[in-house]
Amino acid sequence: MAGSESYPSGTPRWLLAELTYSCPLQCPYCSNPIDYADHTHELSTDEWRRVFTEARAMGAVQLGLSGGEPLIRKDLPALVEHARELGYYTNLISSGYGLTEEKIVELKMAGLDHIQISIQAPEKTLNNYLAGTDSYEQKKTAAQLIKQHGYPMVLCVVIHRHNIHLMHEILEMAVELGADYLELANTQYYGWAHLNRDALLPTREQFETAEAIAQEYKEKLRGRMKIYYVVPDYYEDRPKACMNGWGTTFLTIAPDGMALPCHEARILPGLNCPNVRQMSLRDIWETSEAFNRFRNFDWMEEPCRTCPEKSKDFGGCRCQAYLLTGDMNATDPVCSLSPQRDKVEQAINEALTASLDPAEPLIFRNSRNSKTLSKPTD
Amino acid sequence: MATPLDNSSRLVFSPLHRLQWEESQRKYVILYPEGMVELNLPAAEILKLCDGTRTLDVIVVELEQTFETSGLRDDILEMIESALENGWIRILS
Ligand code: SF4
Ligand code: SF4
């Protein structure tokens, strides 16, 4: 095999621990699985400790504690303490709702390194509508407390058709709150976001206007605030190098202990993701079928198989290929070389048509909807 | 805005970053929210001395002693400037 075609091999550097699927919020773009309400058998404190220990021994250094809302777990401080002892850099990825000063202090003492919170919109009514919960004031207070207690603060705002016109206001809010990092995450269409795509996907024009504003602030705030702009891949002509290559860098553990090469992988049919209750992390990483399924290039179909760019983007996202084409081995249809690029154009057009109807309803992420939607239809 | 760097500036490692030895990579790394930079040994030696008590002058003298050489100032200055720009260290005024 030519050198340029070798597949990167590696050990997990990033461990994403989804501690729970419970969440007091109901974001319609939530990346949790639609059927999350069916997965209730959460890992215990000791099981999580073992996962952290094993991953650290394999070389993981960044630990993300997310969910759902990780603050729901009563053992969060204990888990943070264990992570800190092991030498992780520990990131709490929270909605900010329920993040009281007492918890901020307690977690700091336990050794937490950083807190990321998300705000849905730079104004109260829209924020509370999108979150499905009255949470705006609490989130802003939490942001201020995070800074006061000396944490680096990352503010995350997920961007879609309901807030993209507020790009200026979002950036000004981040400045006002003193965020050290601002993550402007254009919605990625998986999970609940895929379900709500017609109501969330902005037009190309909206994207371009918003991106120009973000770029302008990036320059203006250089040295003060770092802005991460997550590109909306429907409007690109090459896909993302998903997960930096399947099974090379990232390891996600779902609340019920399922080990995932990417946090959406649960939807891929027949992938048979292993569970940390049955297998050691080393076996999961090295020998499990799921983690080897898209390593290397052998699984690829044309045009990826013979494409000179395959070691750059690995054929794009497997979950996106599956969601849009029904075939998880297909070229990610975001790619302009994909014979199924029309699937993306079709999605864009459908969203455009839907945008003319302001009453296009959002399906909120909550247990009731989860249960209804995951029932088999016959 | 930022205090200018001079010979008597005391330098301190940023409280928003962490410098640590990573055994699995046999390297010093800087950790920050969702990211990591691997350091070469000289860079790590310089940054470890940015503890809020030492000035640029003192750092140069100490490192020249440690490595039993002279003429390190320009290299050290270059590293310090890029570390400041990246926000890894700060100037205490
Ligand atoms: S995206 Fe919203 S609903 Fe989903 S876990 Fe995060 S805060 Fe909860
Ligand atoms: S054809 Fe496949 S490998 Fe080539 S650029 Fe498109 S997605 Fe990447």
Side-chain angles (χ1 to χ4, degrees), chain A residues 242-243 246 250-252 259-266 291 317 319:
Chain A
C242 193
M243 304 318 286
W246 186 271
F250 293 94
L251 171 59
T252 296
L260 305 165
C262 111
H263 67 291
E264 299 302 325
R266 196 163 206 145
F291 278 76
C317 170
C319 303

Side-chain angles (χ1 to χ4, degrees), chain A residues 13-14 56 59 61-62 84 87-89 91 93 113-114 116 147 150-152 154 180-181 183 226 228, chain B residues 1 15-18 20-25 29-36 38 85-88 90:
Chain A
R13 287 272 173 264
W14 242 107
R56 181 74 183 129
V61 59
Q62 288 278 352
R84 185 65 190 88
Y88 278 107
Y89 188 88
N91 306 271
I93 301 162
D113 290 292
H114 138 241
Q116 168 183 316
K147 288 302 299 169
Y151 288 99
V154 180
D180 299 292
Y181 303 79
E183 191 173 314
K226 267 200 195 131
Y228 295 127
Chain B
M1 275 264 340
L16 302 184
H17 294 75
R18 202 160 96 205
Q20 98 182 9
W21 172 255
E22 270 300 285
E23 188 56 42
S24 67
Q25 294 166 73
V29 298
I30 292 178
L31 298 164
Y32 52 94
E34 298 178 29
M36 176 170 86
E38 297 179 0
E85 202 180 317
N86 283 302
W88 301 338
R90 292 177 180 178

